Amino acid sequence: MFEEIIGFIRDRYPGVETIPLHAPVFPGREKHYLEECIDSTYVSSVGPFVDAFEQAVSDFVGSRHAVAVVNGTQALFVALKLAGVEPGCEVVTQSLTFVATANAIRYAGAEPVFIDVDEETLGLSPRALQDFLQSHAVSESGRLVNRLTGRPMAACLPMHTLGHPCHIEEISRICREWGLPLVEDAAESLGSYYGDRHTGTFGQLGVFSFNGNKIVTTGGGGMIITDDEGLAWRAKHLTTTAKVPHPWEFLHDELGYNFRMPNLNAALGLAQLENLPRFLGFKRGLADDYRRFFEERGLRFVSEPCGGLSNYWLNALILEDEQQRDAFLQTTNEAKIMTRCLWRPMHMLDMYRYCQRDALSTTNYLYRRLVNLPSGVFI
Ligand SMILES: *Cc1c(COP(=O)(O)O)cnc(C)c1O
């Protein structure tokens, strides 16, 4: 059966010797904008491409504001701070995520609490979130507190796994009910929607990544989006060393960060974003092909959840058990087809083993069975 799958994948990427999981392509005005940027000499921390890229992202996703930053991890860190996460607080998130989600919580001085995901979406489970809050959260003088640890619960940080939107509307409703600020890790889900709204726009703040392996790349980069003008201003201020605008004086009015996205990277990003509709079309077609192929063989391909539109950033297959997963990874990688399993869940990593969590049964189930398949755009 694996040989058949290998043949199917090879047919999708003709002439490619080693088929990557995901690789960037530059079929649009990338070189043109980069040249324009270099010719202008504005290659560094300010320039018109940064403004244009921010505007283009906020137009695309339908947020009022977008602030470009150096990468998705620091975008998460800053978004959490702006949502009110302070040292000694807790942030509810999922264990099934890339390590940056949990790291950003620790950078803000807070503790992650790991909640299970839904099998359908691979993202944070609204029911598990509600159950956890019901059994652990109490309101103490206007603050939500974890009754086990006594720590304030400062935010909820769901992630849209592999580009599939989680049930964010329901999560948003639960967060509103409990007065818990919502920040979305939409690093993988540019081009993914829940209902008619883009992922990342449900929370007070949302975050995208433009790392080289994401659907759109700036080389390295990230974006914070929000509808709140005050938060957008704070995001810009904090990520540009908290400098008070002045033609010659250097005055910084708080501890800021140098998290700016260089103009050079924004130039690349602007051209990449212009390609996004084409990229999305290709990936949807590839996912449809995978789905048909696997369904005919009685295998479980991960499709977008009901009510959601996925960007199909990374296609995924759910195998029988861990042995079959490992055999699949071995056979395909030996055949020079890059496949991989999910990230080791956070609660299994040494630095997060101590953290509070629920039973995480779906997280463990998926980690042992899911494999990612080559999903790069080939045009
Ligand atoms: C890629 C990614 C990030 C971090 O983005 P970088 O730009 O690589 O720092 C954060 N969260 C998730 C879920 C990601 O996949």
Side-chain angles (χ1 to χ4, degrees), residues 213-233:
N213 61 345
K214 298 302 199 303
I215 190 164
V216 155
T217 187
T218 58
M223 192 77 78
I224 300 168
I225 58 163
T226 181
D227 280 343
D228 184 308
E229 190 174 353
L231 289 178
W233 187 88

Side-chain angles (χ1 to χ4, degrees), residues 210-283:
F210 307 112
N211 191 32
N213 61 345
K214 298 302 199 303
I215 190 164
V216 155
T217 187
T218 58
M223 192 77 78
I224 300 168
I225 58 163
T226 181
D227 280 343
D228 184 308
E229 190 174 353
L231 289 178
W233 187 88
R234 292 271 304 138
K236 195 53 143 182
H237 191 62
L238 265 189
T239 56
T240 54
T241 66
K243 187 177 182 298
V244 180
H246 192 278
W248 54 81
E249 247 209 289
F250 278 89
L251 174 64
H252 305 265
D253 62 1
E254 64 179 306
L255 177 64
Y257 304 88
N258 176 15
F259 287 165
R260 277 181 266 241
M261 174 184 287
N263 202 42
L264 199 57
N265 299 73
L268 185 62
L270 187 64
Q272 283 269 288
L273 200 66
E274 290 171 357
N275 297 326
L276 181 55
R278 259 172 97 188
F279 291 175
L280 289 169
F282 176 91
K283 290 169 87 69

Side-chain angles (χ1 to χ4, degrees), residues 53-76:
F53 185 46
E54 289 175 341
Q55 188 64 51
V57 169
S58 78
D59 287 347
F60 184 86
V61 304
S63 69
R64 287 225 176 89
H65 307 277
V67 176
V69 295
V70 73
N71 60 45
T73 308
Q74 302 301 16
L76 279 173

Side-chain angles (χ1 to χ4, degrees), residues 61-136:
V61 304
S63 69
R64 287 225 176 89
H65 307 277
V67 176
V69 295
V70 73
N71 60 45
T73 308
Q74 302 301 16
L76 279 173
F77 161 65
V78 171
L80 288 171
K81 270 180 81 83
L82 295 183
V85 175
E86 288 172 355
C89 291
E90 289 179 358
V91 176
V92 181
T93 190
Q94 57 203 61
S95 180
L96 197 73
T97 186
F98 176 58
V99 72
T101 315
N103 285 352
I105 294 169
R106 290 290 298 125
Y107 298 158
E111 296 294 341
V113 174
F114 298 119
I115 302 296
D116 211 358
V117 293
D118 279 331
E119 195 171 327
E120 184 204 8
T121 68
L122 317 175
L124 190 71
S125 159
R127 174 187 290 221
L129 174 65
Q130 176 75 312
D131 286 351
F132 181 84
L133 291 172
Q134 231 140 33
S135 55
H136 288 90

